[in-house]
Amino acid sequence: MSADQTQPAAVGDLPGRRRVAVVTVGVVFWTWLSLRWAYHNTVLDAVATALGVPDLIRSETAVLAREPWLPTAPFANAAETLTAVGADLGPLGLVAEWLAWPFELTAFAIEGGPAMAAGAFITVYLTLASMVLGLAIAVPLSVARVYGGWLVRHISLAYTELVRGTPLLAQLFLLYYGLPLAEEIEGLGFVGEGAVPRAAVFVAIVGFTINSSAYQAEYIRGALQSVDSGQLVAARSIGLSKAAGIRHVVLPQGLRYAIPGWTNEFVYLIKYSSLAAFITVPELFRQARIIASDSFRVTDTYVVVAVLYLALVLTTALAMDRLESAVAVPGLGPADER
Amino acid sequence: MSLLRLEDVEKSYGTEEVLHGVGFEMDTRDVDVIVGPSGSGKSTLLRCVNRLTEIDGGSIFLDDEDVHAMDENDLRRRVGMVFQDFNLFAHRTAVGNVTLGLTEVLDLPSGEAHDRAMEYLDRVGLAEQADSYPAELSGGQKQRVGIARSLAMDPELILFDEPTSALDPELIGEVLGVMNDLADEGMTMLCVTHEMGFARSAATTLTFLDDGRIVERGPPEQLFDDPEHDRTREFLGDLTEIH
């Protein structure tokens, strides 16, 4: 799954002004996304209403009916003017049309932005939840694989190969349409009420967690195996049990080695979370499909969506870069390989 | 009553026999030095004592207790070990290397563990490097941290597995200095080493191990000056010439 990935760690190395530019774009993007989320949040709406400002938050607005905060008219007008000018220019009109396209696209993006923000927000928490839960499974899985006895080693191997060896979409369909998982979750009562997402979202998190845990386990296994075996021997020689030695000596080093691979998986999960669209989760890619089929502007829709995914991915790469240097230890880890 | 007693210890790796019936005793405050050519089973013998390697035959007693009847973690708390390539925990500072055993094995509260760790680092002359990571220390400093880490557990016996073999010649002295101090203070030490100067000056007993058997064992003066076996004379003669 990582073969087509390039190392996404370059953003943090950018010098001075370019770095400021990247950070500014990031801050604007995340501010917009968070405000969009807050503006339509049911819980915040209830709080605001209780505080006596009932119109501050508009949680009742359906996703596709949400109003943009920027006017589309100036951009649409500019595009129209350019096109009109182009119509009189004969063959040169093509150039005017090209020049008009960015304005058209901007107007389109502003219009579709609120719905896409709602989707992007789901993409974010889908990815975060699945990464964290996946990690919680991947760590024991990889430890079992490297340090376990025959049986646990093979159970871990079987799990990993089964999950990695079958298509993610098939796994999601099995979970959503095959098993009664969605009904069970729906039966919990509070699911789908207020700010709690619908059952499909939970099924998607389960699916991505399972899938991601297998890939994360492979990255961590590799990292654990690169920890010098003398480290565990030394831990055991002062009286630590094998489990304590793994926990206090091997894992702190191995997990540091695993960060670049883990970043790769994180970035990948952001994008393959788009498969949740096929089990009705209204995340970014599904919003895009709805907008594209409503507007028939397929190219424009997917260009805007690509930019949004790119913003999510670059932010993640930047954050993981920060994490890597925050936990760096002299002489340890890929940043200081000798 | 002896602190450590080995009886007829045998060990093989697959079909290769490494130890053929090794037996000896050492008392508290003894400094026992084992020498022998490489591949003679010296390191294996040490690792059998704290059960990093399990023996195939014979028995080992610590304080008259069969070590194979003991919990291995309890055993290792009582028997420290210093390694040839230090094996310091790479992600922890010098003081962090010493405190890990104190907090996780001896269950000391972290403040107390830190104080005790500093005390032992000071004892090996490294109080000022307490916050350095292993990668920032010289080989000699790393090995002194390794000794402090082992010493802080207050063991009854420390095993030294060629503690100076991975060091540059100019760094050997500082480690041997610490080991000499320990010997003077009455620490019980079982050392595998090629440092003949240390063996002659600090050892109470010298053992010459060859091909998994004890060829000769006795006071160092006797082995150096008047060995019973030609093989001992040959080996020690060669080594003394080199050093």
Side-chain angles (χ1 to χ4, degrees):
Chain A
M1 184 144 291
S2 64
D4 62 337
Q5 288 299 299
T6 49
Q7 194 60 35
V11 188
D13 302 331
L14 288 179
R17 241 184 298 170
R18 274 163 69 200
R19 194 189 169 94
V20 171
V22 169
V23 171
T24 310
V25 171
V27 168
V28 169
F29 170 73
W30 281 97
T31 311
W32 168 73
L33 194 58
S34 324
L35 287 180
R36 266 291 160 194
W37 165 79
Y39 191 54
H40 300 287
N41 185 270
T42 355
V43 179
L44 291 179
D45 200 355
V47 172
T49 308
L51 291 174
V53 272
D55 293 333
L56 184 66
I57 309 271
R58 310 306 306 269
S59 71
E60 78 290 351
T61 323
V63 171
L64 288 174
R66 288 177 184 175
E67 291 283 316
W69 290 333
L70 286 179
T72 56
F75 299 98
N77 292 342
E80 238 170 76
T81 315
L82 277 168
T83 317
V85 170
D88 302 332
L89 289 178
L92 276 179
L94 199 58
V95 177
E97 251 175 68
W98 288 344
L99 290 174
W101 184 66
F103 292 100
E104 268 174 40
L105 186 67
T106 308
F108 180 73
I110 290 171
E111 213 173 327
M116 291 207 192
F121 187 75
I122 295 178
T123 294
V124 168
Y125 72 62
L126 213 55
T127 306
L128 276 179
S130 308
M131 272 313 277
V132 172
L133 295 174
L135 180 66
I137 299 177
V139 169
L141 213 53
S142 54
V143 168
R145 187 78 185 279
V146 179
Y147 295 102
W150 188 92
L151 186 66
V152 281
R153 211 168 61 236
H154 281 81
I155 291 174
S156 168
L157 178 69
Y159 175 90
T160 308
E161 293 306 335
L162 185 70
V163 172
R164 290 199 312 165
T166 51
L168 175 55
L169 196 55
Q171 293 167 10
L172 287 177
F173 278 7
L174 178 70
L175 287 171
Y176 190 67
Y177 298 112
L179 301 178
L181 189 60
E183 283 165 43
E184 294 285 335
I185 294 172
E186 210 82 67
L188 292 175
F190 58 86
V191 173
E193 305 280 320
V196 182
R198 293 185 303 113
V201 174
F202 292 97
V203 174
I205 289 175
V206 171
F208 292 140
T209 297
I210 291 172
N211 193 269
S212 187
S213 67
Y215 285 94
Q216 290 186 53
E218 282 299 285
Y219 286 122
I220 297 170
R221 175 176 71 94
L224 290 182
Q225 284 169 336
S226 70
V227 174
D228 181 53
S229 61
Q231 295 285 315
L232 186 57
V233 173
R236 303 229 57 193
S237 79
I238 54 172
L240 264 72
S241 65
K242 192 173 173 183
I246 290 168
R247 177 171 159 227
H248 293 288
V249 175
V250 178
L251 277 176
Q253 298 182 34
L255 290 179
R256 282 181 171 90
Y257 285 126
I259 293 176
W262 204 67
T263 306
N264 215 26
E265 172 61 16
F266 205 145
V267 160
Y268 214 92
L269 184 54
I270 291 173
K271 291 171 291 171
Y272 70 65
S273 70
S274 59
L275 290 180
F278 296 96
I279 58 167
T280 76
V281 175
E283 47 68 76
L284 182 50
F285 188 72
R286 189 171 177 89
Q287 297 301 347
R289 289 209 312 171
I290 294 169
I291 292 170
S293 61
D294 277 2
S295 65
F296 301 109
R297 292 172 66 171
V298 176
T299 310
D300 292 353
T301 307
Y302 291 109
V303 166
V304 174
V305 165
V307 169
L308 291 178
Y309 273 113
L310 194 63
L312 292 176
V313 165
L314 291 181
T315 325
T316 306
L318 192 65
M320 294 302 290
D321 235 27
R322 280 291 168 87
L323 175 71
E324 193 175 340
S325 41
V327 300
V329 162
L332 193 74
D336 206 3
E337 201 72 272
R338 286 180 294 180
Chain B
M1 189 183 76
S2 53
L3 176 70
L4 181 71
R5 190 169 81 246
L6 278 71
E7 288 176 0
D8 216 12
V9 169
E10 288 175 17
K11 174 69 195 174
S12 335
Y13 292 116
T15 55
E16 190 196 345
E17 281 187 50
V18 185
L19 298 173
H20 316 261
V22 173
F24 65 85
E25 292 183 26
M26 61 184 290
D27 290 322
T28 305
R29 305 174 79 85
D30 274 359
V31 177
D32 223 295
V33 172
I34 302 176
V35 297
S38 66
S40 59
K42 305 175 306 258
S43 293
T44 303
L45 186 62
L46 283 195
R47 295 168 70 96
C48 288
V49 171
N50 70 349
R51 288 178 60 196
L52 286 176
T53 299
E54 296 286 1
I55 57 176
D56 297 326
S59 5
I60 300 175
F61 297 93
L62 181 71
D63 227 355
D64 270 342
E65 222 182 311
D66 189 340
V67 298
H68 291 87
M70 293 166 66
D71 176 79
E72 53 184 10
N73 298 327
D74 285 341
L75 168 67
R76 290 175 193 147
R77 198 172 55 201
R78 295 170 59 185
V79 179
M81 189 166 204
V82 173
F83 299 90
Q84 179 175 351
D85 16 296
F86 330 124
N87 287 344
L88 292 190
F89 306 132
H91 65 299
R92 294 176 78 100
T93 58
V95 67
N97 264 271
V98 184
T99 53
L100 184 65
L102 302 179
T103 54
E104 298 307 318
V105 179
L106 301 184
D107 286 326
L108 295 187
S110 62
E112 203 177 309
H114 186 267
D115 293 346
R116 182 152 154 189
M118 287 307 295
E119 197 182 300
Y120 281 95
L121 282 180
D122 193 35
R123 203 161 141 187
V124 299
L126 286 173
E128 297 201 349
Q129 278 75 29
D131 296 322
S132 301
Y133 285 95
E136 300 167 328
L137 298 173
S138 73
Q141 291 173 328
K142 282 185 207 173
Q143 194 57 292
R144 282 146 69 197
V145 174
I147 293 172
R149 175 172 74 181
S150 173
L151 210 53
M153 302 297 290
D154 196 18
E156 295 163 39
L157 161 72
I158 299 186
L159 311 170
F160 288 84
D161 188 4
E162 304 199 28
T164 57
S165 299
L167 295 176
D168 292 335
E170 75 271 21
L171 302 175
I172 290 175
E174 59 189 81
V175 172
L176 288 181
V178 170
M179 290 173 67
N180 268 312
D181 290 347
L182 285 181
D184 290 345
E185 288 161 25
M187 185 73 220
T188 314
M189 299 155 71
L190 178 56
C191 314
V192 168
T193 182
H194 296 298
E195 298 300 329
M196 290 304 129
F198 176 78
R200 201 185 258 275
S201 66
T204 42
T205 315
L206 184 62
T207 303
F208 174 49
L209 193 73
D210 191 18
D211 197 22
R213 287 186 184 85
I214 293 180
V215 176
E216 197 163 348
R217 177 177 163 81
E221 312 81 55
Q222 184 195 318
L223 266 76
F224 278 113
D225 304 331
D226 188 21
E228 280 177 26
H229 296 265
D230 290 344
R231 185 75 191 90
T232 315
R233 187 194 312 276
E234 231 170 81
F235 180 78
L236 290 179
D238 284 353
L239 267 190
T240 322
E241 255 168 52
I242 296 167
H243 289 270

